[in-house]
Amino acid sequence: MSPDATCWTLIRDAAGGDPAARERFARVYLPVVKAYITARWRDNGREVDDAAQDVFVECFKAGGLLEKAAADRPGGFRAFLLGAVRNVAHRHETPRRPVHPLPDGLPADDTGPDQAFDRAWARALLREAAAVQQTSAVRCGAAAVRRVQLLRLRFHDGLPIREIAKLWGEDAAKLHHDYATARDEFRAALREVIAFHHPGAPSGELDRLAAELFALVG
């Protein structure tokens, strides 16, 4: 990720037809778009895939949504993307595809479309942060790559440090220190990703947004 790049750089390049920018835009945000439509329609069938693809058609076409996106839009890029998927979903809603109210007896933790979008948005940014950390670790060497592996085992697989120490044949105290370092490196990567989507945000705001992301997926 270029230090000068922002989400609006990505939008500008994708609107201009840059293949790499369009690939990244679709790769990162397709799960977010599908999460919203799936929750809105209460299914995950082929029509969801068709509507999600239509969002990107609307974004990439000449004179499309990306060309109309404005960096000063309230809510930033997240609000832009949410507005785009809402509009396309609404257009697909015909008498054959109505929006039903939530049925009685729905589980208390059921997620509506906006909440599904927010959670998928948070996961997308966390995935991007993990990719940034991995790329940085490869540049820094084997020890940094090992810390990424440690973080994945501890965070994603839920293995206690003592079990990882046995698995790797290393001292648990050293791994606790390495784990703390890995978490700091991930937080730095996440701040970079958040800054990409919120250019110009002060340091304290980046920390607040990071906390919100963790709360959404917690």
Side-chain angles (χ1 to χ4, degrees):
M1 186 182 299
S2 168
D4 298 324
T6 70
C7 59
W8 302 108
T9 309
L10 177 66
I11 287 175
R12 183 196 64 210
D13 292 346
D18 179 79
R22 290 190 170 190
E23 187 279 332
R24 181 183 176 190
F25 186 93
R27 171 176 51 82
V28 174
Y29 304 115
L30 178 59
V32 183
V33 169
K34 290 185 67 173
Y36 175 90
I37 300 172
T38 297
R40 181 171 174 135
W41 291 349
R42 303 287 162 187
D43 70 33
N44 194 21
R46 181 172 178 177
E47 289 181 61
V48 169
D49 292 335
D50 291 343
Q53 291 300 323
D54 200 19
V55 171
F56 293 95
V57 170
E58 292 297 321
C59 284
F60 294 151
K61 71 181 184 181
L65 294 175
L66 293 189
E67 291 186 13
K68 299 173 183 177
D72 59 355
R73 177 192 177 110
F77 178 61
R78 177 197 162 279
F80 160 77
L81 185 62
L82 179 57
V85 66
R86 276 177 175 162
N87 289 340
V88 171
H90 179 72
R91 192 179 68 205
H92 278 254
E93 285 159 3
T94 65
R96 188 170 59 88
R97 163 59 72 188
V99 178
H100 297 292
L102 299 184
D104 294 336
L106 205 62
D109 64 350
D110 184 77
T111 302
D114 283 13
Q115 291 82 5
F117 181 94
D118 286 342
R119 289 183 185 177
W121 174 267
R123 293 189 185 101
L125 266 60
L126 292 171
R127 284 193 299 269
E128 282 287 281
V132 168
Q133 184 184 18
Q134 176 68 37
T135 300
S136 176
V138 170
R139 290 197 302 265
C140 292
V145 172
R146 188 78 158 172
R147 287 194 297 271
V148 172
Q149 294 170 346
L150 174 62
L151 188 64
R152 188 174 296 117
L153 288 172
R154 180 69 189 93
F155 184 74
H156 290 287
D157 298 346
L159 292 180
I161 293 295
R162 63 180 180 276
E163 290 189 18
I164 302 173
K166 291 179 182 178
L167 182 67
W168 287 3
E170 295 190 16
D171 178 65
K174 176 183 180 302
L175 287 190
H176 273 291
H177 179 270
D178 289 346
Y179 177 59
T181 302
R183 291 181 63 184
D184 288 343
E185 291 167 342
F186 180 80
R187 279 192 290 265
L190 181 58
R191 284 169 59 89
E192 181 179 337
V193 170
I194 295 172
F196 176 86
H197 288 91
H198 298 270
S203 178
E205 179 69 2
L206 296 179
D207 291 335
R208 184 189 68 79
L209 292 169
E212 284 186 359
L213 294 179
F214 282 117
L216 283 168
V217 299

